[in-house]
Amino acid sequence: MSPLSRGPLIQRLHQLLHSSPLKTPSYSHSPPYIFFIRRFSTDSAFAAASEIDEEHASRIIEAKPGVMTDASKRTGLIAVKCGITATWDKWGARIPVSVLFVDDNIVSQVKTFEKEGFFSLQVGCGQKKDKHMTKPEVGHFRAQGVPLKRKLREFPVTEDALLPIGTSLGVRHFIPGQYVDITGTTKGKGFQGGMKRWGFKGMPASHGASLSHRSLGSTGQRDAPGKVFKGKKMPGRMGGKQRTVKNVWVYKIDPARNLMWVRGQVPGASGNFVFIKDAVYKKPDVKLLPFPTYFAAEDEKMEELEPLVADLGETDPFMTADWALYAIPKK
């Protein structure tokens, strides 16, 4: 088909795309349509179609505080798992905590509905030399005008939570006392048997069991159905998979060192990357969270900031438990 004969076809295609009853009215001039037209149209037809999206292309994203609503979704952070330890709160209760290091997080790319069809922020963590990266990776950072980062992660956000490229994200993006969801890659255990992988008790360890003490036993039936069903718990590779621990409580943060203490375990070994975001089920109070992130004051000195600990209330839980025991009527 010659370029001259494609003109009426492109015009008709453009009319069908923008008059279809299936499309959403608020996104009637979305870029996927224009990208489709560009593939099969002349330069003049694409120039005319680009004028339609000029209004959305002029979006200006500012780094300023906003008002968070129940429908808003903030970006997450990338952290390095330092290890697990224990601490004691002001009441003397022992709390097992995992220590996470938020290593120089910045916004490395912004994706909007006008260009990609959705809203999200790409966050970079750490530092890396260009000699340890591929040319496409270096070109990506050069095009965005940001420093080279060791790890990248994309977080879906709402339109009101967008941040400009280069915005620094610190540990004060979260507040002590809130709940977060943490995703990481579990420790790889290699090929393991049924007892270690699934917790089977094994075969009898006395008379009659020869060289099969850690065997998983029977895996199927007789002639009917005469097969092993899919999903049967059997030996195989264990660990090394992405897992998410939900509703992890943030006990303490240290803004000066960008450290975060969370209660309980976190997937992965020490030194692995983990991805932190606001909890889905135990949603934090939107009135307390910094939105879209925390913006530090110009005269703020990071080295003088004190750690922030979650509010544990004014009632000693041990005294409450003791009084509850005394309050039980004796028979």
Side-chain angles (χ1 to χ4, degrees), residues 28-49:
S28 58
H29 306 304
S30 56
Y33 299 157
I34 297 178
F35 175 75
F36 182 76
I37 294 174
R38 182 179 182 181
R39 294 287 303 276
F40 300 97
S41 63
T42 59
D43 296 339
S44 58
F46 174 71

Side-chain angles (χ1 to χ4, degrees), residues 73-76 111 118-121 155-159 161-162:
K73 180 186 293 187
R74 304 191 307 160
T75 181
K111 295 187 178 182
F118 55 89
F119 294 105
S120 69
L121 293 178
F155 296 95
V157 298
T158 52
E159 185 177 3
L162 291 176

Side-chain angles (χ1 to χ4, degrees), residues 97-289:
V97 292
S98 297
V99 184
L100 307 178
F101 173 44
V102 180
D103 185 13
D104 192 17
N105 280 214
I106 65 170
V107 179
S108 58
Q109 187 180 7
V110 179
K111 295 187 178 182
T112 60
F113 189 89
E114 291 78 29
K115 296 181 63 177
E116 287 82 13
F118 55 89
F119 294 105
S120 69
L121 293 178
Q122 185 188 84
V123 178
C125 173
Q127 296 84 24
K128 200 172 184 180
K129 297 181 179 179
D130 54 356
K131 67 178 182 180
H132 297 150
M133 307 179 69
T134 62
K135 289 185 178 180
E137 291 175 341
V138 175
H140 171 72
F141 291 107
R142 294 287 187 262
Q144 302 298 330
V146 296
L148 305 182
K149 290 297 176 180
R150 184 182 172 195
K151 188 68 174 180
L152 294 177
R153 178 76 172 193
E154 188 173 311
F155 296 95
V157 298
T158 52
E159 185 177 3
D160 54 350
L162 291 176
L163 291 168
I165 296 177
T167 303
S168 178
L169 303 173
V171 72
R172 278 182 293 181
H173 183 74
F174 301 106
I175 59 174
Q178 78 163 103
Y179 289 90
V180 295
D181 294 341
I182 302 180
T183 303
T185 303
T186 59
K187 294 182 180 180
K189 305 291 185 178
F191 194 96
Q192 298 296 333
M195 294 184 64
K196 183 177 179 66
R197 192 183 186 196
W198 302 110
F200 291 170
K201 67 175 184 179
M203 301 293 287
S206 60
H207 300 286
S210 177
L211 304 178
S212 61
H213 306 299
R214 298 183 62 87
S215 174
L216 73 161
S218 175
T219 61
Q221 301 77 31
R222 299 177 68 181
D223 289 343
K227 66 177 182 179
V228 178
F229 287 102
K230 292 183 178 180
K232 171 64 180 176
K233 295 180 179 179
M234 299 181 68
R237 294 193 60 179
M238 180 180 177
K241 297 181 180 180
Q242 179 175 292
R243 291 291 181 264
T244 300
V245 178
K246 301 180 183 297
N247 304 328
V248 182
W249 185 58
V250 179
Y251 170 69
K252 176 183 174 181
I253 63 173
D254 188 353
R257 297 184 294 171
N258 264 337
L259 293 177
M260 176 188 297
W261 285 260
V262 297
R263 182 172 59 188
Q265 74 280 6
V266 170
S270 299
N272 284 12
F273 288 102
V274 294
F275 312 105
I276 316 170
K277 61 181 181 180
D278 296 332
V280 175
Y281 293 107
K282 292 188 177 181
K283 297 182 180 297
D285 189 357
V286 297
K287 299 179 181 178
L288 301 178
L289 293 179

Side-chain angles (χ1 to χ4, degrees), residues 66-84:
V67 179
M68 186 175 182
T69 63
D70 294 335
S72 300
K73 180 186 293 187
R74 304 191 307 160
T75 181
L77 297 181
I78 306 175
V80 180
K81 180 179 177 181
C82 300
I84 188 168

